[in-house]
Coordinates of all heavy atoms in Angstrom, one line a residue:
M1 N 49.4 129.7 96.2 CA 49.7 129.2 94.9 C 51.2 128.6 94.8 O 51.4 127.6 94.1 CB 49.5 130.3 93.8 CG 49.6 129.7 92.5 SD 48.1 128.8 92.1 CE 48.1 128.7 90.4
R2 N 52.0 129.3 95.6 CA 53.4 128.8 95.6 C 53.5 127.4 96.1 O 54.3 126.6 95.7 CB 54.3 129.8 96.4 CG 55.7 129.5 96.4 CD 56.4 130.6 97.2 NE 57.8 130.1 97.4 CZ 58.5 130.5 98.4 NH1 58.1 131.2 99.2 NH2 59.8 130.0 98.5
Q3 N 52.7 127.2 97.2 CA 52.8 125.8 97.8 C 52.3 124.7 96.8 O 52.8 123.6 96.8 CB 51.9 125.8 99.1 CG 52.5 126.6 100.2 CD 51.6 126.6 101.4 OE1 50.4 126.4 101.3 NE2 52.1 127.0 102.5
L4 N 51.4 125.1 96.0 CA 50.9 124.1 95.0 C 52.0 123.7 94.1 O 52.2 122.6 93.7 CB 49.7 124.7 94.2 CG 49.2 123.9 93.1 CD1 48.6 122.6 93.5 CD2 48.2 124.7 92.2
W5 N 52.7 124.7 93.6 CA 53.9 124.5 92.5 C 54.9 123.7 93.3 O 55.6 122.8 92.6 CB 54.4 125.7 92.0 CG 53.3 126.3 91.0 CD1 52.7 127.4 91.2 CD2 52.8 125.7 89.9 NE1 51.8 127.7 90.1 CE2 51.8 126.5 89.4 CE3 53.1 124.5 89.2 CZ2 51.2 126.3 88.1 CZ3 52.5 124.2 88.0 CH2 51.5 125.1 87.5
I6 N 55.2 123.9 94.6 CA 56.2 123.2 95.3 C 55.8 121.7 95.3 O 56.5 120.7 95.1 CB 56.5 123.7 96.6 CG1 57.2 125.1 96.5 CG2 57.3 122.8 97.5 CD1 57.4 125.9 97.8
A7 N 54.4 121.5 95.6 CA 53.9 120.1 95.8 C 54.0 119.4 94.4 O 54.3 118.3 94.3 CB 52.5 120.2 96.3
V8 N 53.7 120.2 93.3 CA 53.7 119.6 92.0 C 55.1 119.2 91.6 O 55.4 118.2 91.1 CB 53.1 120.6 91.0 CG1 53.4 120.2 89.6 CG2 51.6 120.7 91.2
A9 N 56.1 120.0 92.0 CA 57.5 119.8 91.7 C 58.0 118.6 92.5 O 58.7 117.7 91.9 CB 58.4 120.9 92.1
I10 N 57.6 118.4 93.7 CA 58.0 117.2 94.6 C 57.3 116.0 94.0 O 58.0 114.9 93.8 CB 57.6 117.4 96.0 CG1 58.4 118.5 96.7 CG2 57.7 116.1 96.8 CD1 57.9 118.9 98.0
L11 N 56.0 116.1 93.5 CA 55.4 114.9 93.0 C 56.0 114.5 91.7 O 56.3 113.4 91.4 CB 53.9 115.2 92.8 CG 53.0 114.1 92.1 CD1 53.1 112.9 93.0 CD2 51.6 114.6 91.9
G12 N 56.4 115.5 90.8 CA 57.1 115.2 89.6 C 58.4 114.5 89.8 O 58.8 113.6 89.1
G13 N 59.1 115.0 90.8 CA 60.4 114.4 91.2 C 60.3 112.9 91.6 O 61.0 112.1 91.2
M14 N 59.3 112.7 92.4 CA 59.0 111.4 92.9 C 58.7 110.5 91.7 O 59.1 109.3 91.6 CB 57.9 111.4 93.9 CG 58.3 112.0 95.2 SD 56.9 112.2 96.4 CE 56.4 110.5 96.6
L15 N 57.9 110.9 90.7 CA 57.4 110.2 89.6 C 58.6 109.9 88.7 O 58.8 108.8 88.1 CB 56.4 110.9 88.8 CG 55.0 110.9 89.5 CD1 54.0 111.8 88.7 CD2 54.5 109.5 89.6
A16 N 59.5 110.9 88.6 CA 60.8 110.7 87.8 C 61.7 109.6 88.4 O 62.2 108.8 87.7 CB 61.5 112.0 87.6
L17 N 61.8 109.7 89.7 CA 62.7 108.7 90.4 C 62.1 107.3 90.3 O 62.8 106.4 90.2 CB 62.9 109.1 91.9 CG 63.9 110.2 92.1 CD1 63.8 110.6 93.6 CD2 65.3 109.8 91.7
T18 N 60.8 107.2 90.4 CA 60.1 105.9 90.3 C 60.3 105.4 88.8 O 60.6 104.1 88.7 CB 58.6 106.0 90.6 OG1 58.4 106.5 92.0 CG2 57.8 104.7 90.4
A19 N 60.1 106.2 87.9 CA 60.3 105.7 86.5 C 61.8 105.3 86.3 O 62.1 104.2 85.6 CB 60.0 106.8 85.4
W20 N 62.7 106.1 86.8 CA 64.2 105.7 86.7 C 64.4 104.3 87.4 O 65.1 103.5 86.9 CB 64.9 106.8 87.3 CG 66.4 106.4 87.4 CD1 67.4 106.4 86.4 CD2 67.1 106.0 88.6 NE1 68.6 106.0 86.9 CE2 68.4 105.7 88.3 CE3 66.7 105.8 89.9 CZ2 69.4 105.3 89.2 CZ3 67.7 105.4 90.8 CH2 69.0 105.1 90.5
N21 N 63.8 104.1 88.6 CA 64.0 102.9 89.4 C 63.4 101.7 88.6 O 64.1 100.6 88.6 CB 63.4 103.0 90.8 CG 63.7 101.8 91.6 OD1 64.9 101.4 91.7 ND2 62.7 101.2 92.1
V22 N 62.3 101.9 88.0 CA 61.7 100.8 87.2 C 62.7 100.4 86.1 O 63.0 99.2 85.8 CB 60.4 101.2 86.6 CG1 59.9 100.2 85.6 CG2 59.3 101.2 87.8
T23 N 63.3 101.3 85.4 CA 64.2 101.1 84.3 C 65.5 100.4 84.8 O 65.9 99.4 84.3 CB 64.6 102.4 83.7 OG1 63.4 103.0 83.1 CG2 65.6 102.1 82.5
V24 N 66.0 100.8 86.0 CA 67.2 100.2 86.5 C 66.9 98.8 86.9 O 67.7 97.9 86.7 CB 67.8 101.1 87.7 CG1 68.9 100.3 88.5 CG2 68.3 102.4 87.1
M25 N 65.8 98.5 87.6 CA 65.5 97.2 88.0 C 65.3 96.3 86.8 O 65.7 95.1 86.9 CB 64.2 97.2 88.9 CG 64.4 97.7 90.3 SD 63.0 97.5 91.4 CE 62.8 95.7 91.5
H26 N 64.7 96.7 85.8 CA 64.5 95.9 84.6 C 65.9 95.6 84.0 O 66.1 94.4 83.6 CB 63.6 96.7 83.5 CG 63.3 95.9 82.4 ND1 64.1 95.8 81.3 CD2 62.3 95.1 82.1 CE1 63.6 94.9 80.4 NE2 62.5 94.5 80.9
Q27 N 66.8 96.5 83.9 CA 68.1 96.2 83.4 C 68.9 95.3 84.3 O 69.7 94.5 83.8 CB 68.9 97.5 83.3 CG 68.4 98.5 82.2 CD 69.1 99.9 82.2 OE1 69.8 100.2 83.2 NE2 68.9 100.5 81.2
R28 N 68.7 95.3 85.6 CA 69.4 94.5 86.4 C 68.8 93.0 86.5 O 69.6 92.1 86.6 CB 69.4 95.0 87.9 CG 70.3 96.2 88.0 CD 70.1 96.8 89.5 NE 71.1 97.8 89.7 CZ 72.1 97.8 90.5 NH1 72.3 96.6 91.2 NH2 72.9 98.8 90.6
V29 N 67.5 92.9 86.4 CA 66.8 91.6 86.5 C 66.6 90.9 85.2 O 66.6 89.7 85.2 CB 65.5 91.8 87.3 CG1 64.7 90.5 87.4 CG2 65.8 92.3 88.7
Q30 N 66.5 91.5 84.1 CA 66.2 90.9 82.8 C 67.2 89.9 82.4 O 66.8 88.7 82.0 CB 66.0 92.0 81.7 CG 65.5 91.5 80.4 CD 64.1 90.8 80.6 OE1 63.3 91.2 81.4 NE2 63.9 89.7 79.9
P31 N 68.5 90.1 82.7 CA 69.4 89.0 82.2 C 69.2 87.7 83.1 O 69.4 86.6 82.6 CB 70.8 89.6 82.5 CG 70.6 91.1 82.5 CD 69.2 91.3 82.9
I32 N 68.9 87.9 84.4 CA 68.6 86.7 85.2 C 67.4 86.0 84.7 O 67.3 84.8 84.6 CB 68.4 87.2 86.6 CG1 69.8 87.8 87.1 CG2 68.1 86.1 87.6 CD1 69.6 88.5 88.4
V33 N 66.4 86.8 84.3 CA 65.1 86.1 83.8 C 65.4 85.3 82.5 O 64.9 84.2 82.4 CB 64.0 87.1 83.5 CG1 62.8 86.6 82.8 CG2 63.6 87.8 84.8
E34 N 66.2 85.9 81.6 CA 66.6 85.2 80.4 C 67.3 83.9 80.7 O 67.0 82.8 80.1 CB 67.3 86.1 79.5 CG 66.5 87.3 78.9 CD 67.4 88.3 78.1 OE1 68.6 88.0 77.9 OE2 66.8 89.4 77.8
E35 N 68.2 84.0 81.6 CA 69.0 82.8 82.0 C 68.1 81.7 82.7 O 68.3 80.5 82.5 CB 70.2 83.1 82.9 CG 71.2 84.0 82.1 CD 72.6 83.5 82.3 OE1 72.9 82.6 83.1 OE2 73.4 84.2 81.7
L36 N 67.1 82.2 83.4 CA 66.2 81.2 84.0 C 65.4 80.5 82.9 O 65.2 79.3 83.1 CB 65.1 82.0 84.9 CG 65.6 82.3 86.3 CD1 64.6 83.2 87.1 CD2 65.7 81.0 87.1
H37 N 65.0 81.2 81.9 CA 64.3 80.6 80.8 C 65.2 79.6 80.1 O 64.7 78.4 79.8 CB 63.8 81.6 79.8 CG 62.6 82.4 80.2 ND1 61.4 81.9 80.7 CD2 62.5 83.8 80.5 CE1 60.6 82.9 81.0 NE2 61.3 84.0 80.9
Q38 N 66.4 79.9 79.9 CA 67.3 79.0 79.3 C 67.6 77.8 80.1 O 67.7 76.6 79.7 CB 68.7 79.6 79.0 CG 68.7 80.7 78.0 CD 70.0 81.5 77.8 OE1 70.9 81.1 78.5 NE2 70.0 82.5 77.1
A39 N 67.7 78.0 81.5 CA 67.8 76.8 82.4 C 66.6 75.9 82.4 O 66.8 74.7 82.4 CB 68.2 77.4 83.8
A40 N 65.4 76.5 82.4 CA 64.2 75.7 82.3 C 64.2 74.9 81.0 O 63.8 73.7 81.0 CB 63.1 76.6 82.4
A41 N 64.7 75.5 79.9 CA 64.6 74.8 78.7 C 65.6 73.7 78.7 O 65.4 72.6 78.2 CB 64.9 75.8 77.5
A42 N 66.8 73.9 79.3 CA 67.8 72.8 79.4 C 67.3 71.7 80.3 O 67.5 70.6 80.0 CB 69.1 73.4 79.9
A43 N 66.6 72.0 81.3 CA 66.0 71.0 82.2 C 65.0 70.2 81.5 O 64.9 68.9 81.6 CB 65.5 71.6 83.5
R44 N 64.1 70.8 80.7 CA 63.1 70.1 79.9 C 63.8 69.1 78.9 O 63.3 68.1 78.7 CB 62.2 71.1 79.2 CG 61.1 71.6 80.0 CD 60.1 72.4 79.3 NE 60.6 73.6 78.5 CZ 60.8 74.8 79.1 NH1 60.3 75.0 80.3 NH2 61.2 75.7 78.3
E45 N 64.9 69.5 78.4 CA 65.6 68.6 77.5 C 66.6 67.6 78.2 O 67.3 66.9 77.6 CB 66.5 69.5 76.6 CG 65.6 70.4 75.6 CD 66.4 71.3 74.8 OE1 67.7 71.3 74.9 OE2 65.9 72.2 74.2
E46 N 66.6 67.7 79.6 CA 67.4 66.9 80.4 C 68.8 67.0 80.2 O 69.6 66.1 80.3 CB 66.9 65.4 80.4 CG 65.5 65.2 80.8 CD 65.0 63.7 80.8 OE1 65.9 62.9 80.5 OE2 63.9 63.5 81.1
D47 N 69.3 68.3 79.9 CA 70.7 68.6 79.8 C 71.1 69.1 81.1 O 71.3 70.3 81.3 CB 70.8 69.7 78.6 CG 72.3 70.0 78.4 OD1 73.2 69.5 79.1 OD2 72.6 70.9 77.5
W48 N 71.5 68.1 82.0 CA 71.7 68.5 83.3 C 73.0 69.4 83.5 O 73.0 70.2 84.4 CB 71.7 67.3 84.2 CG 70.4 66.5 84.1 CD1 70.2 65.2 83.7 CD2 69.1 67.0 84.3 NE1 68.9 64.9 83.7 CE2 68.1 66.0 84.0 CE3 68.6 68.3 84.7 CZ2 66.8 66.2 84.1 CZ3 67.2 68.5 84.8 CH2 66.4 67.4 84.5
P49 N 74.1 69.1 82.9 CA 75.3 69.9 83.0 C 75.0 71.4 82.6 O 75.4 72.2 83.4 CB 76.3 69.2 82.1 CG 75.9 67.8 81.9 CD 74.4 67.8 81.9
Q50 N 74.4 71.5 81.6 CA 73.9 72.9 81.2 C 73.0 73.6 82.1 O 73.2 74.8 82.5 CB 73.3 72.9 79.7 CG 72.9 74.3 79.3 CD 74.1 75.2 79.0 OE1 75.2 74.8 78.9 NE2 73.8 76.5 78.7
T51 N 72.0 72.8 82.7 CA 71.2 73.3 83.7 C 71.9 73.7 84.9 O 71.6 74.8 85.5 CB 70.1 72.3 84.1 OG1 69.4 71.9 82.8 CG2 69.1 72.8 85.1
E52 N 72.8 72.9 85.4 CA 73.7 73.2 86.6 C 74.5 74.5 86.4 O 74.6 75.4 87.2 CB 74.5 72.1 87.0 CG 75.5 72.3 88.1 CD 74.8 72.7 89.4 OE1 73.7 72.3 89.6 OE2 75.4 73.4 90.2
T53 N 75.1 74.6 85.2 CA 75.9 75.8 84.9 C 75.1 77.1 84.9 O 75.5 78.1 85.4 CB 76.6 75.6 83.5 OG1 77.4 74.5 83.5 CG2 77.4 76.8 83.1
L54 N 73.9 77.0 84.3 CA 73.1 78.2 84.2 C 72.5 78.5 85.6 O 72.5 79.7 86.0 CB 71.9 78.0 83.2 CG 72.2 78.0 81.8 CD1 71.1 77.4 80.9 CD2 72.7 79.4 81.4
T55 N 72.2 77.5 86.4 CA 71.7 77.7 87.7 C 72.8 78.3 88.6 O 72.4 79.3 89.3 CB 71.2 76.4 88.4 OG1 70.3 75.8 87.5 CG2 70.6 76.6 89.8
Q56 N 74.0 78.0 88.5 CA 75.0 78.6 89.3 C 75.3 80.0 88.8 O 75.5 80.8 89.7 CB 76.3 77.8 89.1 CG 77.5 78.3 90.0 CD 77.1 78.2 91.4 OE1 76.5 77.3 92.0 NE2 77.6 79.2 92.1
T57 N 75.2 80.3 87.5 CA 75.3 81.6 87.0 C 74.1 82.5 87.5 O 74.4 83.6 88.0 CB 75.3 81.7 85.5 OG1 76.4 80.9 85.1 CG2 75.4 83.1 84.9
I58 N 73.0 82.0 87.5 CA 71.8 82.7 88.0 C 71.9 83.0 89.5 O 71.7 84.1 90.0 CB 70.5 81.9 87.8 CG1 70.2 81.8 86.3 CG2 69.3 82.5 88.6 CD1 69.2 80.8 85.9
R59 N 72.4 82.0 90.3 CA 72.6 82.2 91.7 C 73.6 83.3 92.0 O 73.4 84.2 92.8 CB 73.1 80.9 92.3 CG 73.2 80.9 93.8 CD 73.6 79.5 94.4 NE 72.6 78.5 93.9 CZ 72.8 77.4 93.2 NH1 74.1 77.1 92.8 NH2 71.9 76.5 93.0
T60 N 74.7 83.3 91.3 CA 75.8 84.4 91.4 C 75.2 85.8 91.0 O 75.4 86.7 91.8 CB 77.0 84.1 90.6 OG1 77.4 82.8 90.9 CG2 78.0 85.1 90.8
Q61 N 74.5 85.8 90.0 CA 73.9 87.1 89.4 C 72.9 87.7 90.4 O 72.9 88.8 90.7 CB 73.4 87.0 88.1 CG 74.3 86.8 86.9 CD 73.7 86.6 85.6 OE1 72.4 86.3 85.6 NE2 74.4 86.7 84.6
W62 N 72.1 86.7 91.0 CA 71.0 87.2 91.9 C 71.6 87.7 93.2 O 71.2 88.8 93.7 CB 70.1 86.0 92.2 CG 68.9 86.4 93.1 CD1 69.0 86.2 94.5 CD2 67.8 87.3 92.8 NE1 67.8 86.8 95.0 CE2 67.1 87.4 94.0 CE3 67.3 87.7 91.6 CZ2 65.9 88.1 94.1 CZ3 66.2 88.5 91.7 CH2 65.4 88.7 92.8
Q63 N 72.6 87.0 93.7 CA 73.2 87.4 94.9 C 74.0 88.8 94.7 O 74.0 89.6 95.7 CB 74.3 86.4 95.5 CG 73.6 85.2 95.9 CD 74.4 84.0 96.3 OE1 75.6 84.0 95.9 NE2 74.0 83.1 97.1
E64 N 74.4 89.1 93.6 CA 75.0 90.4 93.3 C 73.9 91.5 93.4 O 74.3 92.7 93.7 CB 75.7 90.4 91.9 CG 77.0 89.6 91.9 CD 77.6 89.4 90.5 OE1 76.9 90.0 89.5 OE2 78.6 88.8 90.4
Q65 N 72.8 91.2 93.0 CA 71.6 92.2 92.9 C 70.8 92.3 94.2 O 70.1 93.3 94.4 CB 70.6 91.8 91.8 CG 71.3 91.7 90.4 CD 72.0 93.0 90.0 OE1 71.6 94.0 90.3 NE2 73.1 92.8 89.3
V66 N 71.1 91.4 95.1 CA 70.2 91.4 96.4 C 70.4 92.7 97.2 O 69.4 93.3 97.6 CB 70.6 90.2 97.3 CG1 70.1 90.4 98.7 CG2 70.0 89.0 96.7
P67 N 71.6 93.3 97.4 CA 71.6 94.6 98.1 C 70.7 95.7 97.5 O 70.1 96.4 98.2 CB 73.1 94.9 98.1 CG 73.8 93.6 97.9 CD 72.9 92.8 97.0
Y68 N 70.9 95.9 96.2 CA 70.1 96.9 95.6 C 68.6 96.6 95.6 O 67.7 97.4 96.0 CB 70.5 97.0 94.1 CG 69.6 98.1 93.4 CD1 69.9 99.4 93.6 CD2 68.6 97.8 92.6 CE1 69.1 100.4 92.9 CE2 67.7 98.7 91.9 CZ 68.1 100.1 92.1 OH 67.3 101.0 91.5
L69 N 68.2 95.3 95.4 CA 66.8 94.9 95.4 C 66.2 95.1 96.8 O 65.0 95.5 97.0 CB 66.6 93.5 94.9 CG 66.9 93.3 93.4 CD1 66.9 91.9 93.1 CD2 65.9 94.1 92.5
Q70 N 67.0 94.8 97.9 CA 66.5 94.9 99.2 C 66.3 96.4 99.6 O 65.5 96.8 100.4 CB 67.4 94.2 100.2 CG 67.2 92.7 100.2 CD 68.0 92.0 101.2 OE1 69.1 92.5 101.6 NE2 67.6 90.9 101.6
M71 N 67.1 97.3 98.9 CA 67.0 98.7 99.2 C 65.7 99.3 98.6 O 65.1 100.1 99.2 CB 68.3 99.4 98.7 CG 68.3 100.8 99.0 SD 69.8 101.7 98.5 CE 69.8 101.5 96.8
V72 N 65.4 98.8 97.4 CA 64.2 99.5 96.7 C 63.0 98.6 96.6 O 62.0 99.1 96.0 CB 64.7 99.9 95.3 CG1 65.9 100.9 95.4 CG2 65.0 98.7 94.4
H73 N 63.0 97.4 97.0 CA 61.9 96.5 96.8 C 61.6 95.8 98.2 O 62.4 95.9 99.1 CB 62.3 95.4 95.8 CG 61.1 94.8 95.3 ND1 60.6 93.6 95.7 CD2 60.3 95.1 94.1 CE1 59.6 93.2 95.0 NE2 59.4 94.1 94.0
A74 N 60.4 95.2 98.3 CA 60.0 94.6 99.5 C 60.9 93.5 99.8 O 61.2 92.6 99.1 CB 58.6 94.0 99.3
H75 N 61.5 93.5 101.1 CA 62.4 92.5 101.5 C 61.9 91.1 101.5 O 62.6 90.1 101.1 CB 62.8 92.7 103.0 CG 63.8 93.8 103.1 ND1 65.2 93.6 103.4 CD2 63.7 95.2 103.0 CE1 65.8 94.7 103.5 NE2 65.0 95.7 103.2
E76 N 60.6 90.9 101.8 CA 60.0 89.5 101.8 C 60.1 88.9 100.4 O 60.4 87.7 100.4 CB 58.6 89.6 102.3 CG 57.6 90.4 101.4 CD 56.2 90.6 102.0 OE1 56.3 91.1 103.2 OE2 55.2 90.5 101.4
H77 N 59.9 89.5 99.3 CA 59.9 89.0 98.0 C 61.4 88.6 97.7 O 61.7 87.6 97.1 CB 59.3 89.9 97.0 CG 58.0 90.3 97.2 ND1 57.0 89.3 97.3 CD2 57.3 91.4 97.4 CE1 55.7 89.9 97.5 NE2 56.0 91.1 97.6
T78 N 62.3 89.6 98.0 CA 63.7 89.3 97.6 C 64.2 88.1 98.5 O 64.9 87.3 98.0 CB 64.5 90.6 98.0 OG1 64.0 91.7 97.3 CG2 65.9 90.4 97.5
D79 N 63.9 88.1 99.8 CA 64.2 87.0 100.6 C 63.7 85.7 100.2 O 64.4 84.6 100.3 CB 64.0 87.3 102.0 CG 64.7 88.5 102.7 OD1 65.8 88.8 102.1 OD2 64.3 89.0 103.7
E80 N 62.4 85.7 99.8 CA 61.8 84.4 99.3 C 62.5 83.9 98.1 O 62.8 82.7 98.0 CB 60.4 84.7 98.9 CG 59.6 83.5 98.5 CD 58.1 83.8 98.1 OE1 57.7 84.9 98.3 OE2 57.6 82.9 97.5
A81 N 62.8 84.8 97.1 CA 63.6 84.4 95.9 C 65.0 83.8 96.3 O 65.4 82.8 95.8 CB 63.7 85.5 94.9
L82 N 65.6 84.5 97.2 CA 67.0 84.1 97.7 C 66.9 82.7 98.3 O 67.7 81.9 98.0 CB 67.6 85.2 98.6 CG 69.0 84.9 99.0 CD1 69.9 85.0 97.7 CD2 69.5 86.1 99.8
S83 N 65.9 82.5 99.1 CA 65.8 81.2 99.7 C 65.5 80.1 98.7 O 65.9 79.0 98.9 CB 64.8 81.2 100.9 OG 63.5 81.4 100.4
L84 N 64.7 80.4 97.8 CA 64.4 79.4 96.7 C 65.7 79.1 96.0 O 65.9 78.0 95.5 CB 63.3 79.9 95.8 CG 61.9 79.9 96.4 CD1 61.0 80.6 95.4 CD2 61.5 78.5 96.7
I85 N 66.5 80.0 95.7 CA 67.8 79.8 95.0 C 68.6 79.0 95.8 O 69.3 78.1 95.3 CB 68.4 81.2 94.6 CG1 67.7 81.8 93.4 CG2 69.9 81.0 94.2 CD1 68.1 83.2 93.2
H86 N 68.7 79.2 97.1 CA 69.6 78.4 98.0 C 69.1 76.9 98.1 O 69.8 76.0 98.3 CB 69.7 79.0 99.4 CG 70.6 80.2 99.4 ND1 72.0 80.1 99.1 CD2 70.4 81.5 99.7 CE1 72.5 81.3 99.2 NE2 71.6 82.2 99.6
L87 N 67.7 76.7 98.1 CA 67.2 75.4 98.1 C 67.6 74.7 96.8 O 67.6 73.4 96.8 CB 65.6 75.5 98.2 CG 65.1 75.9 99.4 CD1 63.5 76.0 99.4 CD2 65.4 74.9 100.5
S88 N 67.9 75.3 95.7 CA 68.2 74.6 94.4 C 69.7 74.3 94.5 O 70.2 73.6 93.5 CB 67.8 75.5 93.3 OG 68.7 76.6 93.1
E89 N 70.4 74.7 95.5 CA 71.9 74.3 95.5 C 72.0 72.9 95.6 O 71.4 72.2 96.3 CB 72.5 75.0 96.7 CG 72.8 76.5 96.5 CD 73.5 77.1 97.6 OE1 74.1 76.3 98.5 OE2 73.5 78.4 97.7
P90 N 72.9 72.3 94.7 CA 73.1 70.8 94.8 C 73.7 70.4 96.2 O 74.5 71.1 96.7 CB 74.0 70.6 93.7 CG 74.8 71.8 93.4 CD 73.8 72.9 93.8
T91 N 73.4 69.2 96.7 CA 74.0 68.7 97.9 C 75.2 67.9 97.4 O 75.1 67.2 96.6 CB 73.0 67.9 98.7 OG1 72.5 66.9 97.8 CG2 71.9 68.7 99.2
R92 N 76.3 68.2 98.1 CA 77.5 67.5 97.8 C 77.9 66.6 98.9 O 77.8 67.0 100.1 CB 78.6 68.5 97.5 CG 78.3 69.4 96.4 CD 79.5 70.1 95.8 NE 79.3 71.2 95.0 CZ 78.7 71.2 93.8 NH1 78.1 70.2 93.3 NH2 78.5 72.4 93.1
P93 N 78.3 65.4 98.7 CA 78.8 64.5 99.8 C 80.0 65.1 100.4 O 80.9 65.6 99.7 CB 78.9 63.2 99.2 CG 79.1 63.4 97.7 CD 78.4 64.7 97.5
Y94 N 80.2 64.8 101.7 CA 81.4 65.3 102.4 C 82.5 64.4 102.2 O 82.6 63.3 102.2 CB 81.1 65.5 103.9 CG 80.2 66.7 104.1 CD1 78.9 66.5 104.3 CD2 80.7 68.0 103.9 CE1 78.0 67.6 104.5 CE2 79.8 69.0 104.1 CZ 78.5 68.7 104.4 OH 77.6 69.9 104.5

């Protein structure tokens, strides 16, 4: 019976850590999602300076979150998003 309670305690701890991680990820990613919506709206309105500003902010915020996201989330999804963000970087003449 003791082993059952130990297993239940471990399972409860794992569930609590999972719930905590979901909350932390939401808090870290939600501002980026909101800025993405704003950037999309600015692009639809053809407000390119605002779109560029928001895109640069999104790029910076995402790069700050990458270490945590790679630690707790599938690398392939994080790397795919990061490569898409780098593809959106403007090309500047030399």
Side-chain angles (χ1 to χ4, degrees):
M1 190 69 167
R2 181 176 172 210
Q3 290 176 339
L4 173 68
W5 289 114
I6 291 172
V8 168
I10 291 172
L11 180 61
M14 290 172 59
L15 289 173
L17 283 173
T18 300
W20 172 78
N21 185 50
V22 167
T23 303
V24 169
M25 283 189 63
H26 185 273
Q27 290 173 346
R28 288 175 175 251
V29 174
Q30 190 59 34
I32 298 170
V33 170
E34 290 173 9
E35 295 224 358
L36 275 170
H37 290 299
Q38 292 174 5
R44 280 191 297 274
E45 295 172 5
E46 298 184 4
D47 183 359
W48 304 122
Q50 179 68 10
T51 302
E52 175 60 28
T53 302
L54 288 167
T55 303
Q56 185 60 39
T57 302
I58 291 164
R59 189 177 296 120
T60 303
Q61 288 176 345
W62 181 260
Q63 288 173 340
E64 290 171 359
Q65 300 306 323
V66 165
Y68 178 78
L69 293 172
Q70 286 183 334
M71 183 175 64
V72 299
H73 199 269
H75 282 253
E76 61 192 47
H77 300 300
T78 306
D79 292 342
E80 181 181 353
L82 189 58
S83 66
L84 289 172
I85 287 172
H86 285 300
L87 285 176
S88 71
E89 288 182 14
T91 55
R92 303 199 195 295
Y94 292 102

